[in-house]
């Protein structure tokens, strides 16, 4: 069987398995988030440390909700142990040259790399060198 056939079969199986599960949404009080003094807009780089890995996603959503929008694919890199240096460099380059890109020169531009502690030592080291 082709990969495409297998993926379609997997998709159908997941759809059947979760068809009876109701979709749930959590509301976000955007007004309260905008009032929060946690984020400073005058800093080009923000570092957020959390107690548990599960809180990383909440902080990412919080950061974008604070700006009243959701992240786009080019705005966010969720790091894993298999994330390559090339992926990290592309994200850093998008951040570094955002002002030159008309689409990213808006006030609400935000680039986020989450879960950086999962990157290999070498990827972390080289990324730090690029940021310097």
């Amino acid at each position: 069987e082709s990969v495409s056939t297998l993926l379609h079969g997997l998709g159908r199986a997941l759809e059947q398995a979760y068809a009876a599960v109701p979709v749930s949404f959590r509301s976000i009080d955007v007004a309260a988030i905008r009032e929060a003094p946690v984020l400073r807009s005058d800093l080009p780089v923000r570092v957020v440390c959390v107690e548990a890995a599960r809180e990383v996603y909440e902080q990412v959503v919080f950061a974008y909700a604070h700006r009243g929008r959701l992240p786009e694919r080019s705005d966010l890199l969720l790091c894993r142990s298999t994330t390559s240096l090339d992926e990290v460099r592309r994200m850093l380059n998008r951040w570094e040259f955002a002002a030159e890109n008309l689409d990213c020169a808006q006030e609400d531009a935000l680039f986020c790399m989450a879960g950086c502690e999962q990157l290999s030592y070498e990827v972390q080291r080289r990324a730090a060198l690029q940021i310097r």
Side-chain angles (χ1 to χ4, degrees):
E1 288 184 62
S2 71
V3 173
S4 178
T5 304
L6 290 172
L7 288 175
H8 284 295
L10 178 60
R12 285 190 300 277
L14 287 171
E15 184 178 30
Q16 291 171 356
Y18 289 101
V21 177
V23 176
S24 62
F25 296 94
R26 291 190 319 179
S27 62
I28 297 175
D29 185 358
V30 176
I33 291 171
R34 289 187 188 279
E35 306 273 327
V38 177
L39 299 175
R40 289 180 46 193
S41 60
D42 61 326
L43 297 176
V45 175
R46 293 172 185 85
V47 176
V48 177
C49 298
V50 294
E51 293 291 323
R54 67 180 180 278
E55 297 174 18
V56 169
Y57 300 109
E58 290 177 13
Q59 290 300 316
V60 169
V61 170
F62 175 84
Y64 283 96
H66 187 269
R67 295 187 183 280
R69 67 184 192 88
L70 294 173
E72 296 181 21
R73 185 176 184 173
S74 61
D75 298 340
L76 177 62
L77 178 61
L78 297 174
C79 299
R80 318 170 294 288
S81 61
T82 57
T83 301
S84 70
L85 178 61
D86 190 48
E87 290 174 277
V88 172
R89 282 186 171 157
R90 283 194 309 263
M91 172 57 82
L92 293 174
N93 287 337
R94 283 194 296 274
W95 166 64
E96 183 178 1
F97 299 110
E100 296 173 14
N101 183 344
L102 295 177
D103 294 335
C104 294
Q106 306 160 359
E107 279 185 32
D108 67 344
L110 177 64
F111 296 90
C112 180
M113 286 179 52
C116 296
E117 74 282 355
Q118 294 184 39
L119 296 171
S120 70
Y121 171 78
E122 188 61 19
V123 171
Q124 288 183 33
R125 186 183 72 76
R126 289 186 177 188
L129 290 174
Q130 181 174 347
I131 291 170
R132 288 185 191 163

